[in-house]
Amino acid sequence: MGKKRIPEALFAAALCLGLTVPVLASNRVTEIAVDVTLRPDGSAYVTQTWSGDFDEGTECYFPVTNLGDVTLENLQVFDETGSYALKDPWDTGASFAEKARTCGLNPVDGGYEVCWGISEYGENRYAVEYELGGLVGGYDDFDGFNFQFVPSNMNTGPTDVTVRIQTQDGTPLNGGNAGIWAFGFEGQIGFQDGGVLAYTDAPLTGNNSVIVMLQLNKGVLTPVRTVLSSFEDVKTRALEGSDYGLDSGEDNEGVGFLLAVGLIVIAAAVVLVRLKSPKRKLKKVYKGADYWREAPIGGNLEASFVLADRFFQTDDDGNLIAATLTRLLADGCLAPET
């Protein structure tokens, strides 16, 4: 019986080791590039390009929620070998083979999960395209949106994310007709090549997400979706508790300039107070000092001048020149002539 138990134990151990292999494997997204093209009516065509290693599970997905009046439709997915077939409804419980080379939308609270089959394990690159109807809303004061393009708590947290936004008709976006803000991640946002570019400086983890808020002057687009409120209200809510504070953009630059000027004035005042304070203390010392006829520091005029300057008795180079001439006259080195 002992001889039989050894192979059984080895088999059990081998089985356990075999079961751990899929657990150690994981999906890793190295890059998500989001390209957003704004149409004149305020809708947008979005392309998300995912690159990474996919070694477990049956599908990739990401949620697009809090859509409100914004619609998500016309989903398409491509990889290096071609397009994926659209499945409606999407079956999250389908097998790896059933999901292969297919895509679909899974309804969830507030929106959808955009889903597609991994199709083949290993290093893959997917292009996920869809339309957002009414992304840009027409508000009382401005047009714009505050939208989450990459969600938080993704189990395949991407290493690098970029979001590019441009207009379909080529109208350039810049500081003269637009305002831009980014939230949820460590990175940058700015105007570049007639559009907007936001990018991460560190991998997304945990609650990190990529949210972009875009404010457009009236006339840049003609949004079909209208909102009976001001975009200023949207901006105020978005900026509360953020790194921007309640003021940002060009207004923030003005505040920063005034703050810098204020700090300079305060620093100058502190320096002046500190300069005056020794003078007041020295005046008390001078009142109790005895008169001294001889030149200080052994007659070293240069050292005496520096000492007098440090103790606020003179700051005029002419005093040193006059003292030197007087000494030359006293020593007979110079003589006055008519």
Side-chain angles (χ1 to χ4, degrees):
M1 291 182 65
K3 291 182 179 180
K4 291 183 179 179
R5 288 178 182 175
I6 293 175
E8 288 175 356
L10 290 174
F11 176 78
L15 181 61
C16 290
L17 289 172
L19 290 174
T20 61
V21 173
V23 176
L24 293 174
S26 63
N27 297 332
R28 184 174 64 89
V29 180
T30 55
E31 180 184 4
I32 296 179
V34 183
D35 291 285
V36 183
T37 301
L38 302 179
R39 295 166 172 167
D41 64 356
S43 63
Y45 195 86
V46 181
T47 300
Q48 290 203 16
T49 304
W50 287 40
S51 302
D53 293 319
F54 303 87
D55 298 310
E56 70 171 4
T58 59
E59 66 178 49
C60 297
Y61 73 94
F62 62 90
V64 182
T65 55
N66 297 320
L67 286 173
D69 295 329
V70 177
T71 61
L72 193 160
E73 52 194 358
N74 297 328
L75 172 66
Q76 299 181 80
V77 176
F78 305 85
D79 64 14
E80 294 89 338
T81 61
S83 61
Y84 284 31
L86 182 66
K87 275 191 175 181
D88 186 19
W90 179 258
D91 182 6
T92 59
S95 67
F96 183 94
E98 291 170 333
K99 291 180 180 179
R101 309 201 63 75
T102 64
C103 62
L105 297 176
N106 181 44
V108 294
D109 289 341
Y112 301 94
E113 289 175 343
V114 177
C115 310
W116 67 95
I118 291 178
S119 305
E120 184 176 348
Y121 286 137
E123 186 173 339
N124 292 317
R125 185 179 179 89
Y126 306 102
V128 184
E129 303 179 7
Y130 53 93
E131 296 178 18
L132 292 174
L135 174 63
V136 180
Y139 294 81
D140 297 340
D141 47 358
F142 297 97
D143 300 330
F145 63 78
N146 185 29
F147 195 80
Q148 183 182 74
F149 290 100
V150 178
S152 60
N153 296 311
M154 295 180 64
N155 60 355
T156 54
T159 304
D160 296 300
V161 175
T162 59
V163 177
R164 298 180 185 273
I165 303 172
Q166 59 185 4
T167 60
Q168 186 182 53
D169 61 9
T171 300
L173 302 177
N174 51 55
N177 62 8
I180 50 176
W181 300 262
F183 308 95
F185 64 97
E186 181 181 337
Q188 309 293 329
I189 187 170
F191 294 106
Q192 185 180 95
D193 300 328
V196 177
L197 173 64
Y199 58 90
T200 58
D201 288 332
L204 298 188
T205 58
N207 292 325
N208 289 149
S209 61
V210 178
I211 301 171
V212 174
M213 182 165 64
L214 174 67
Q215 173 184 292
L216 296 173
N217 290 352
K218 290 293 185 180
V220 176
L221 301 177
T222 309
V224 173
R225 181 173 68 90
T226 58
V227 185
L228 300 179
S229 63
S230 69
F231 193 80
E232 194 65 30
D233 292 339
V234 175
K235 185 167 68 174
T236 299
R237 291 193 298 271
L239 296 178
E240 286 180 354
S242 74
D243 292 339
Y244 291 102
L246 294 180
D247 293 308
S248 58
E250 294 180 359
D251 292 339
N252 221 23
E253 292 179 4
V255 172
F257 174 75
L258 293 176
L259 179 60
V261 172
L263 290 175
I264 292 172
V265 171
I266 292 172
V270 170
V271 170
L272 289 175
V273 168
R274 289 183 176 179
L275 288 176
K276 290 181 179 180
S277 180
K279 287 183 179 180
R280 289 195 295 266
K281 294 180 179 178
L282 287 173
K283 285 180 179 179
K284 295 181 180 179
V285 175
Y286 299 153
K287 288 182 179 179
D290 295 330
Y291 182 78
W292 189 263
R293 291 181 177 273
E294 300 297 327
I297 315 180
N300 188 326
L301 296 180
E302 291 80 8
S304 299
F305 177 80
V306 172
L307 187 63
D309 179 67
R310 294 289 176 87
F311 281 81
F312 313 102
Q313 296 306 296
T314 183
D315 58 356
D316 187 358
D317 292 343
N319 292 334
L320 177 58
I321 296 172
T324 303
L325 289 173
T326 302
R327 169 170 287 178
L328 291 172
L329 287 169
D331 292 341
C333 298
L334 294 177
E337 290 184 359
T338 303

